[in-house]
Amino acid sequence: MKFYFYFLNFILNLLYSINRIFLTKIIDMKKKLLLIILAIGFFSIRFLFAQDKAVPEQYNRSALTYMLLDNGGKYSSDLKQAIEKVNIPEKFDDNNLSTRYFSSSESPKTIKSTIINNHYPNDIVAKWFDRKDDGTLDMTIIHKRGQYNATDQDALKAQASKLGMAKLKDAGQALVNNSHILVLSYKNIITMKEHYDKVDKRRRAIANKTKKKFKPVKRIKNGFMGDVTAYLYKIDFNDSIYGVLYDQLWIYDDDDAATKQKKKELFDKTQFPLKFVMKVNGKADGSQYNPGQILAPKVQKTRDELFQQLVSTGGESAIFMIERKYEPFRVKVPVYTRKPIGAKVGLKEGLKFDQRYFVLEYRMNDKNEMITKRRAVVRSKSVIDNRKMATGHSTETSKFYQVAGRRVDEGMLMQQRNDFGIGLSLGYASGEIGGITGKAEYNVSTLLWTFTGKLIRIKQLKLFAEFGSETKEYNTPILVGAEDISFTRYDVGISKGYYFARNFSLTLFGAYGMEAASHDDFIVNGEETDLSTIYLNFGASLTANLTYNVQLFGTLNMYSVGDILDDDGNTLTLSGNDATYTDIFQNREGASFSVGLRLEF
């Protein structure tokens, strides 16, 4: 507990020092904004003390069956053809059936009834037990999956027991109860051309309303895009169901012909229990860059391949959302090494580069109940290929770096906790270019790692878009006397973050943007106009965690501006020479400093 009060005191002292050096002007001009930012930040400190629910320590692989909900439509045949070729992610055991689609009205209850009436749970159980045409069952698949599911620790325990590796094979029986069916319903599928047409329609309407020049969207991609709604179901294969299977449905060698036939028919009629788990929504992308674009593939994909991509990304999007809510889909593994932080988890568990994990510790609460408390937050920086049977002797680990929390020790539990990779910031800047600022960031590290076939590994690589707004008084050569000018700026850029301590990071960035200056009396060649310039902004940002996903930041910006332009993009002239932005707005470039809050999602 003392740690957090020391940390809070440090943040207060840091803010006070920054204020004395850089922000006296901000306090005088924007007290209310800063007070709101600080109030939100310090209010978020309470989340540092929030207790997590008890998290089960054991993680077992789940098996997954993809099913397409086919209710006709323009692209029905494309989707049905695509679902036949889509693979289950490697994190899951593949329980796909020969039948990949069905029709049903779209409600969890009706879909469940359709699945049961079509005996899909029956077919999945038959796949687990490698059921033959004569109705006989065996444990081959269960034993293989049991061994593949085992960790090094499981293997060591098995080797030390009398049963040996047979113990791991038998452990596979528990995996049958982790059988899930993911029903995918694809909607609102449009071509990229239709998407661009919609964007242009909106832009044209805005241009007409604001009397601005219409600028069509750049049409850089082709293919398809759409939405997906996914329904997750689980086969409830508990101990009592196992009892029925072995007592009434399993065909033994010493059964007579009549008994064998009776058991075979009874299995065919059995309805294994099915539970609805949840419904999630996501996006599906079946597009590619046009020839000539930097990211265009060497060979353009066919229509069939694009629909296969659309169905695949829709399924992955749904799984991502489920993993955020459903504990059995969250990987859990103990910390194996502390310096560097390492764990025996990798491609077999679906680990991705720069993926987020919580580090948990078990505690007893005041009611003498076992709870888990978040100790730290880490992200992966290397991913091992562990897609093989555990031997108990491997020391290979994926490595992680810490982004929040306290010291991590061996044996603590790591829990997969997906994030969207999005950061939102709000602050205030002081300097020649200042005012209210806002930024939206997206961490592309995982995307880049995946896109390059796991070759490029750059942590905390982000693309961002930023805006700023302020009103400031200037004495310009095109107005009489000093006037308040309204400035609005937008930029896009790239940044690279470095976590040099558990709760502190440094980010370097570069951006390209445009600032517009507005005043009712800006007249050029007899017409009202807004003035603008193109600028570059380079700088660095220092962050300090208030909670694992809320940060206080201070940013140093260095702006370099260009010529001053009118609404048509023409450079203004003064005394026959091209005018720069600073010719009109004196000294409006150079350094500025901003502070504020940053939230991660």
PDB file of all heavy atoms in Angstrom, residues 478 524-525 564 570-580 583-584:
ATOM      1  N   ILE A 478      -2.258  41.546 -42.809  1.00  0.00           N
ATOM      2  CA  ILE A 478      -3.470  41.555 -43.635  1.00  0.00           C
ATOM      3  C   ILE A 478      -4.696  41.975 -42.840  1.00  0.00           C
ATOM      4  O   ILE A 478      -5.811  41.949 -43.356  1.00  0.00           O
ATOM      5  CB  ILE A 478      -3.710  40.174 -44.285  1.00  0.00           C
ATOM      6  CG1 ILE A 478      -3.820  39.087 -43.224  1.00  0.00           C
ATOM      7  CG2 ILE A 478      -2.612  39.850 -45.279  1.00  0.00           C
ATOM      8  CD1 ILE A 478      -4.149  37.719 -43.809  1.00  0.00           C
ATOM      9  N   VAL A 524      -8.528  37.738 -49.488  1.00  0.00           N
ATOM     10  CA  VAL A 524      -7.447  37.571 -50.453  1.00  0.00           C
ATOM     11  C   VAL A 524      -8.041  37.676 -51.850  1.00  0.00           C
ATOM     12  O   VAL A 524      -8.990  36.952 -52.181  1.00  0.00           O
ATOM     13  CB  VAL A 524      -6.736  36.213 -50.276  1.00  0.00           C
ATOM     14  CG1 VAL A 524      -5.683  36.025 -51.370  1.00  0.00           C
ATOM     15  CG2 VAL A 524      -6.086  36.128 -48.906  1.00  0.00           C
ATOM     16  N   ASN A 525      -7.512  38.595 -52.650  1.00  0.00           N
ATOM     17  CA  ASN A 525      -8.023  38.829 -54.008  1.00  0.00           C
ATOM     18  C   ASN A 525      -9.523  39.106 -54.006  1.00  0.00           C
ATOM     19  O   ASN A 525     -10.270  38.635 -54.865  1.00  0.00           O
ATOM     20  CB  ASN A 525      -7.718  37.634 -54.916  1.00  0.00           C
ATOM     21  CG  ASN A 525      -6.227  37.421 -55.100  1.00  0.00           C
ATOM     22  OD1 ASN A 525      -5.452  38.387 -55.135  1.00  0.00           O
ATOM     23  ND2 ASN A 525      -5.817  36.158 -55.216  1.00  0.00           N
ATOM     24  N   ILE A 564       2.409  30.019 -46.438  1.00  0.00           N
ATOM     25  CA  ILE A 564       1.017  30.239 -46.071  1.00  0.00           C
ATOM     26  C   ILE A 564       0.160  30.129 -47.324  1.00  0.00           C
ATOM     27  O   ILE A 564       0.495  30.677 -48.382  1.00  0.00           O
ATOM     28  CB  ILE A 564       0.824  31.594 -45.364  1.00  0.00           C
ATOM     29  CG1 ILE A 564      -0.578  31.676 -44.773  1.00  0.00           C
ATOM     30  CG2 ILE A 564       1.132  32.770 -46.275  1.00  0.00           C
ATOM     31  CD1 ILE A 564      -0.738  32.757 -43.724  1.00  0.00           C
ATOM     32  N   ASN A 570      -3.138  27.946 -52.914  1.00  0.00           N
ATOM     33  CA  ASN A 570      -2.164  28.845 -53.535  1.00  0.00           C
ATOM     34  C   ASN A 570      -1.369  29.581 -52.465  1.00  0.00           C
ATOM     35  O   ASN A 570      -1.911  29.986 -51.435  1.00  0.00           O
ATOM     36  CB  ASN A 570      -2.875  29.863 -54.431  1.00  0.00           C
ATOM     37  CG  ASN A 570      -3.654  29.184 -55.547  1.00  0.00           C
ATOM     38  OD1 ASN A 570      -3.162  28.257 -56.181  1.00  0.00           O
ATOM     39  ND2 ASN A 570      -4.885  29.641 -55.767  1.00  0.00           N
ATOM     40  N   THR A 571      -0.081  29.771 -52.722  1.00  0.00           N
ATOM     41  CA  THR A 571       0.780  30.481 -51.777  1.00  0.00           C
ATOM     42  C   THR A 571       0.523  31.980 -51.847  1.00  0.00           C
ATOM     43  O   THR A 571       0.476  32.567 -52.935  1.00  0.00           O
ATOM     44  CB  THR A 571       2.258  30.201 -52.081  1.00  0.00           C
ATOM     45  OG1 THR A 571       2.493  28.788 -52.008  1.00  0.00           O
ATOM     46  CG2 THR A 571       3.163  30.908 -51.085  1.00  0.00           C
ATOM     47  N   LEU A 572       0.329  32.596 -50.673  1.00  0.00           N
ATOM     48  CA  LEU A 572       0.134  34.041 -50.630  1.00  0.00           C
ATOM     49  C   LEU A 572       1.458  34.752 -50.890  1.00  0.00           C
ATOM     50  O   LEU A 572       2.536  34.212 -50.617  1.00  0.00           O
ATOM     51  CB  LEU A 572      -0.409  34.465 -49.266  1.00  0.00           C
ATOM     52  CG  LEU A 572      -1.943  34.524 -49.122  1.00  0.00           C
ATOM     53  CD1 LEU A 572      -2.548  33.143 -49.299  1.00  0.00           C
ATOM     54  CD2 LEU A 572      -2.313  35.112 -47.772  1.00  0.00           C
ATOM     55  N   THR A 573       1.366  35.963 -51.395  1.00  0.00           N
ATOM     56  CA  THR A 573       2.567  36.765 -51.635  1.00  0.00           C
ATOM     57  C   THR A 573       2.495  38.052 -50.833  1.00  0.00           C
ATOM     58  O   THR A 573       1.422  38.623 -50.616  1.00  0.00           O
ATOM     59  CB  THR A 573       2.712  37.103 -53.129  1.00  0.00           C
ATOM     60  OG1 THR A 573       1.555  37.816 -53.570  1.00  0.00           O
ATOM     61  CG2 THR A 573       2.882  35.833 -53.957  1.00  0.00           C
ATOM     62  N   LEU A 574       3.659  38.480 -50.379  1.00  0.00           N
ATOM     63  CA  LEU A 574       3.815  39.769 -49.717  1.00  0.00           C
ATOM     64  C   LEU A 574       4.937  40.516 -50.421  1.00  0.00           C
ATOM     65  O   LEU A 574       6.050  39.983 -50.554  1.00  0.00           O
ATOM     66  CB  LEU A 574       4.159  39.592 -48.236  1.00  0.00           C
ATOM     67  CG  LEU A 574       3.039  39.126 -47.294  1.00  0.00           C
ATOM     68  CD1 LEU A 574       3.595  38.951 -45.887  1.00  0.00           C
ATOM     69  CD2 LEU A 574       1.889  40.122 -47.285  1.00  0.00           C
ATOM     70  N   SER A 575       4.628  41.708 -50.901  1.00  0.00           N
ATOM     71  CA  SER A 575       5.615  42.529 -51.619  1.00  0.00           C
ATOM     72  C   SER A 575       6.222  41.761 -52.785  1.00  0.00           C
ATOM     73  O   SER A 575       7.420  41.846 -53.069  1.00  0.00           O
ATOM     74  CB  SER A 575       6.719  42.995 -50.659  1.00  0.00           C
ATOM     75  OG  SER A 575       6.171  43.712 -49.576  1.00  0.00           O
ATOM     76  N   GLY A 576       5.383  40.945 -53.446  1.00  0.00           N
ATOM     77  CA  GLY A 576       5.831  40.216 -54.625  1.00  0.00           C
ATOM     78  C   GLY A 576       6.555  38.923 -54.339  1.00  0.00           C
ATOM     79  O   GLY A 576       6.940  38.214 -55.271  1.00  0.00           O
ATOM     80  N   ASN A 577       6.753  38.567 -53.069  1.00  0.00           N
ATOM     81  CA  ASN A 577       7.460  37.337 -52.714  1.00  0.00           C
ATOM     82  C   ASN A 577       6.511  36.361 -52.013  1.00  0.00           C
ATOM     83  O   ASN A 577       5.562  36.774 -51.334  1.00  0.00           O
ATOM     84  CB  ASN A 577       8.637  37.646 -51.781  1.00  0.00           C
ATOM     85  CG  ASN A 577       9.672  38.540 -52.446  1.00  0.00           C
ATOM     86  OD1 ASN A 577      10.040  38.328 -53.602  1.00  0.00           O
ATOM     87  ND2 ASN A 577      10.131  39.556 -51.710  1.00  0.00           N
ATOM     88  N   ASP A 578       6.789  35.045 -52.185  1.00  0.00           N
ATOM     89  CA  ASP A 578       5.996  34.043 -51.479  1.00  0.00           C
ATOM     90  C   ASP A 578       6.132  34.250 -49.976  1.00  0.00           C
ATOM     91  O   ASP A 578       7.233  34.453 -49.452  1.00  0.00           O
ATOM     92  CB  ASP A 578       6.469  32.628 -51.835  1.00  0.00           C
ATOM     93  CG  ASP A 578       6.087  32.244 -53.262  1.00  0.00           C
ATOM     94  OD1 ASP A 578       5.277  32.962 -53.868  1.00  0.00           O
ATOM     95  OD2 ASP A 578       6.601  31.214 -53.751  1.00  0.00           O
ATOM     96  N   ALA A 579       4.989  34.206 -49.298  1.00  0.00           N
ATOM     97  CA  ALA A 579       4.975  34.449 -47.854  1.00  0.00           C
ATOM     98  C   ALA A 579       5.000  33.129 -47.092  1.00  0.00           C
ATOM     99  O   ALA A 579       4.366  32.154 -47.489  1.00  0.00           O
ATOM    100  CB  ALA A 579       3.731  35.241 -47.466  1.00  0.00           C
ATOM    101  N   THR A 580       5.748  33.112 -46.011  1.00  0.00           N
ATOM    102  CA  THR A 580       5.731  31.956 -45.115  1.00  0.00           C
ATOM    103  C   THR A 580       4.684  32.184 -44.035  1.00  0.00           C
ATOM    104  O   THR A 580       4.168  33.296 -43.855  1.00  0.00           O
ATOM    105  CB  THR A 580       7.104  31.739 -44.460  1.00  0.00           C
ATOM    106  OG1 THR A 580       7.396  32.860 -43.615  1.00  0.00           O
ATOM    107  CG2 THR A 580       8.189  31.583 -45.512  1.00  0.00           C
ATOM    108  N   ASP A 583       5.556  34.826 -41.622  1.00  0.00           N
ATOM    109  CA  ASP A 583       5.462  36.203 -42.105  1.00  0.00           C
ATOM    110  C   ASP A 583       4.126  36.819 -41.704  1.00  0.00           C
ATOM    111  O   ASP A 583       4.033  38.029 -41.460  1.00  0.00           O
ATOM    112  CB  ASP A 583       5.599  36.249 -43.633  1.00  0.00           C
ATOM    113  CG  ASP A 583       7.015  35.955 -44.098  1.00  0.00           C
ATOM    114  OD1 ASP A 583       7.953  36.165 -43.301  1.00  0.00           O
ATOM    115  OD2 ASP A 583       7.177  35.497 -45.246  1.00  0.00           O
ATOM    116  N   ILE A 584       3.095  35.987 -41.652  1.00  0.00           N
ATOM    117  CA  ILE A 584       1.757  36.465 -41.292  1.00  0.00           C
ATOM    118  C   ILE A 584       1.534  36.358 -39.784  1.00  0.00           C
ATOM    119  O   ILE A 584       1.031  37.286 -39.148  1.00  0.00           O
ATOM    120  CB  ILE A 584       0.678  35.663 -42.048  1.00  0.00           C
ATOM    121  CG1 ILE A 584       0.944  35.717 -43.559  1.00  0.00           C
ATOM    122  CG2 ILE A 584      -0.714  36.193 -41.720  1.00  0.00           C
ATOM    123  CD1 ILE A 584       0.905  37.107 -44.147  1.00  0.00           C
TER     124      ILE A 584
END
